[in-house]
Amino acid sequence: INLTGVSKDELKRGDVITVPGWLEPTQLVDVRLDYLGDAPRALRHNQEVEFYSGAAEVMARARLLGARSLAPGQSGWVQLRLAERVPLVKGDRFIVRQPSPSVTVGGGVVVDPLPRRRHRRFRPEVTQRLEMLAHGTPADLLLETLDRRGPLPARSLIADAGLPFETAAAALHQLLGEEQVRMLAPVPAQAGEDPKSLASSSQYVVSSAGWSALLSRLTGEVAEFHRAEPLRQGMPREALKSRLKLETRLFNEAMARAAAEGALVEGENFVRLPEHSVQFSPEQQEAIDCLLRDFQRTPYTTPSYKDSVAAVGEDVVMALIETGQLVRLSPDVLLLQETYEESVAWIRNYISEHGSVNVAQVRDGFDTSRRYALALLEYLDDQRITKRVGDERVLR
C-alpha cells in the first residue's frame, strides 16, 4: 500500500490498515490451539509463549481453559493474555513458539478476539460457548453475543462479532426478519430495507429473550414502587432509570417500546403499570371530601399545605396534587384545579384589557391576601404564562 503523509517512524511491525471504528486491538484472545506432536514437552497452564499472527510478534501467557496441561499432539481451548494489544479478528490464524530454546510448538485459529473478560477455568459454559463460536453460523454468533451481553447498539454488536461487515449485517437483517432479535426503537423504513444502514446505526438491538428479561426488570421495579407507594400515580422516570442503571439512550428506547407494547404507561415525569390507579380507602375519601369542601368555601384563601396534611395525611395530599385535584403554587399555598384555571383566565383577560397586572390588583380582584396573590403570580411566571417586568406582570 502506498501511504502518503505517514512517516516510517509512525509504523511498527504488526500494524494493520483498516476502516475507522471497525477493528479494536485486544490483549485477551480466545483460541483453539493445536499443540504439535513433536513439541518437546507438555504445555502447562499460564506458560509463557511467543505469539505470532500476521506480522505481529508478542509475548503471551497461555491460560488453559479445559485441561490442566496439553500433551504433544493434543488440542484445547486456550485464552491468551498478550503482553501488548494486537489487532485480531475471528478466523485469524496464529502460531506459538516456546521462547527458549526457540521452537514452534503449536498454532490455531482465533475464535473470539474480544472476550472482554478473563475466563474461569473448567467451566462447561465457557467451552460450550467457544464451540458454538467456532462452528456456529453468523446469525448464531450475533444471537449468542446479544444473549451474553444484553442490549447493544447495532454497530457495537457488528463490531464485537468479529465477522466481515457485510456478513454480520446480513445476519442481523435475517435475525430481525425471523423476530429472534428486535430493535428497541422503531426502525425507519429505508433503514429496514438496507442491512448495511441498519448495522451502522446507534439504535439498540436486543434478543427476544433479552427483551423479555429487560421488560421484566422494568415492570418489576414499577410494581414494587406501586406496592410501597400505592397513593402515588407512578414511579418517577429518573428513579426507575437510576434503579436499573441503564444508559440514557437505552433506557429511553426501552421505555418507548414498553409503552408501545402496553406493558407500561408513561406520564409527564412518571411511569406506571396499566392496571394501577390511585385508590383511597373510605376513611381517606371521607377526609378528602371534607378538606375539598373547605377549599370550595374559601377558594382564594384555602387551607395551607401544612393544614391539609394535618387533615388527611401527606401521602393523600401528594396524591391529590399528582392526580390534578389540587395545584401547589408554593411550598404552603394550594388551590383547587378549577379555581386555578379560573384564576389564569381572569389574569389573562385583565392583562389583555389593561396591558399588565400587579400583586395588589390580583389580591383585590380575588379578595385574597398578598401571600396568595404573590404565590399565584410567581407560579404563572414559572409556568411561562406571565413574565415579570418591574412590579408588573405581562403575558408571555
Side-chain angles (χ1 to χ4, degrees):
I1 297 174
N2 183 17
L3 297 176
T4 58
V6 179
S7 165
K8 288 190 296 183
D9 297 334
E10 295 179 71
L11 305 176
K12 66 180 185 300
R13 182 183 182 90
D15 283 353
V16 300
I17 190 164
T18 182
V19 296
W22 179 72
L23 184 56
E24 181 182 344
T26 182
Q27 268 189 289
L28 276 181
V29 56
D30 294 342
V31 303
R32 182 69 179 181
L33 176 63
D34 299 321
Y35 200 56
L36 295 180
D38 58 359
R41 64 182 67 87
L43 181 69
R44 304 183 311 278
H45 173 66
N46 224 30
Q47 182 175 322
E48 190 174 50
V49 294
E50 295 171 341
F51 174 87
Y52 298 82
S53 184
E57 175 185 343
V58 299
M59 299 302 295
R61 293 280 179 182
R63 301 189 64 253
L64 306 184
L65 299 177
R68 300 192 180 279
S69 64
L70 277 185
Q74 290 185 327
S75 298
W77 295 111
V78 176
Q79 186 172 64
L80 296 170
R81 182 168 188 84
L82 309 179
E84 301 173 21
R85 293 169 68 84
V86 174
L88 297 168
V89 297
K90 184 179 185 297
D92 278 352
R93 301 197 69 82
F94 68 91
I95 64 170
V96 292
R97 295 169 64 88
Q98 69 175 25
S100 179
S102 184
V103 58
T104 299
V105 292
V109 178
V110 172
V111 174
D112 187 353
L114 290 166
R116 305 287 183 186
R117 63 176 65 84
R118 183 174 177 269
H119 297 314
R120 296 179 64 181
R121 300 177 68 200
F122 308 112
R123 305 289 286 203
E125 64 271 20
V126 172
T127 54
Q128 287 168 9
R129 174 178 168 271
L130 292 174
E131 289 281 359
M132 193 280 299
L133 287 173
H135 304 295
T137 66
D140 291 334
L141 302 185
L142 294 186
L143 197 56
E144 187 278 335
T145 301
L146 283 176
D147 282 337
R148 176 168 50 91
R149 297 192 55 202
L152 288 172
R155 61 189 178 200
S156 298
L157 171 63
I158 298 301
D160 284 359
L163 296 167
F165 177 80
E166 290 79 3
T167 302
L172 176 58
H173 198 256
Q174 172 194 334
L175 289 169
L176 286 166
E178 295 171 352
E179 298 186 348
Q180 294 191 66
V181 305
R182 61 190 71 193
M183 309 293 288
L184 286 181
V187 180
Q190 185 176 359
E193 297 169 2
D194 180 5
K196 292 182 181 179
S197 174
L198 194 62
S200 301
S201 78
S202 59
Q203 288 182 264
Y204 273 86
V205 188
V206 64
S207 68
S208 294
W211 171 239
S212 295
L214 179 55
L215 185 60
S216 178
R217 290 177 62 202
L218 285 166
T219 56
E221 290 289 350
V222 176
E224 181 61 32
F225 183 87
H226 288 329
R227 284 190 289 272
E229 302 281 354
L231 296 184
R232 297 287 301 275
Q233 264 194 303
M235 185 174 189
R237 276 180 61 95
E238 283 303 311
L240 178 58
K241 179 181 170 222
S242 176
R243 289 291 296 273
L244 293 174
K245 296 180 172 59
L246 297 179
E247 184 270 333
T248 299
R249 178 162 189 162
L250 172 56
F251 176 74
N252 289 340
E253 290 187 9
M255 285 300 308
R257 184 162 195 104
E261 292 183 2
L264 291 173
V265 176
E266 291 190 274
E268 185 175 354
N269 295 304
F270 67 87
V271 183
R272 66 173 175 85
L273 296 178
E275 63 272 19
H276 174 75
S277 62
V278 176
Q279 301 288 335
F280 298 113
S281 69
E283 294 78 11
Q284 288 171 328
Q285 190 61 57
E286 184 177 350
I288 290 169
D289 293 341
C290 181
L291 175 66
L292 295 183
R293 284 194 292 271
D294 290 341
F295 274 80
Q296 291 161 351
R297 272 195 296 270
T298 55
Y300 294 103
T301 52
T302 54
S304 68
Y305 179 83
K306 183 179 179 181
D307 291 340
S308 299
V309 168
V312 298
E314 188 164 25
D315 55 347
V316 174
V317 173
M318 290 304 298
L320 294 174
I321 294 169
E322 282 192 350
T323 55
Q325 296 184 66
L326 295 178
V327 179
R328 192 174 188 179
L329 303 182
S330 72
D332 204 41
V333 176
L334 301 168
L335 287 184
L336 285 172
Q337 176 67 34
E338 53 265 34
T339 304
Y340 168 71
E341 291 173 358
E342 291 168 3
S343 303
V344 173
W346 187 93
I347 289 170
R348 283 185 183 278
N349 290 334
Y350 191 96
I351 295 175
S352 296
E353 291 178 12
H354 301 89
S356 64
V357 71
N358 59 36
V359 175
Q361 290 161 343
V362 171
R363 178 199 63 199
D364 295 344
F366 295 126
D367 191 20
T368 186
S369 69
R370 176 179 173 82
R371 181 168 73 96
Y372 280 80
L374 182 60
L376 176 59
L377 287 176
E378 288 181 344
Y379 185 79
L380 296 185
D381 292 344
D382 291 340
Q383 298 299 304
R384 303 185 65 80
I385 295 172
T386 57
K387 178 173 67 174
R388 182 174 178 175
V389 180
D391 291 332
E392 304 288 318
R393 260 68 176 191
V394 297
L395 292 176
R396 283 191 180 272

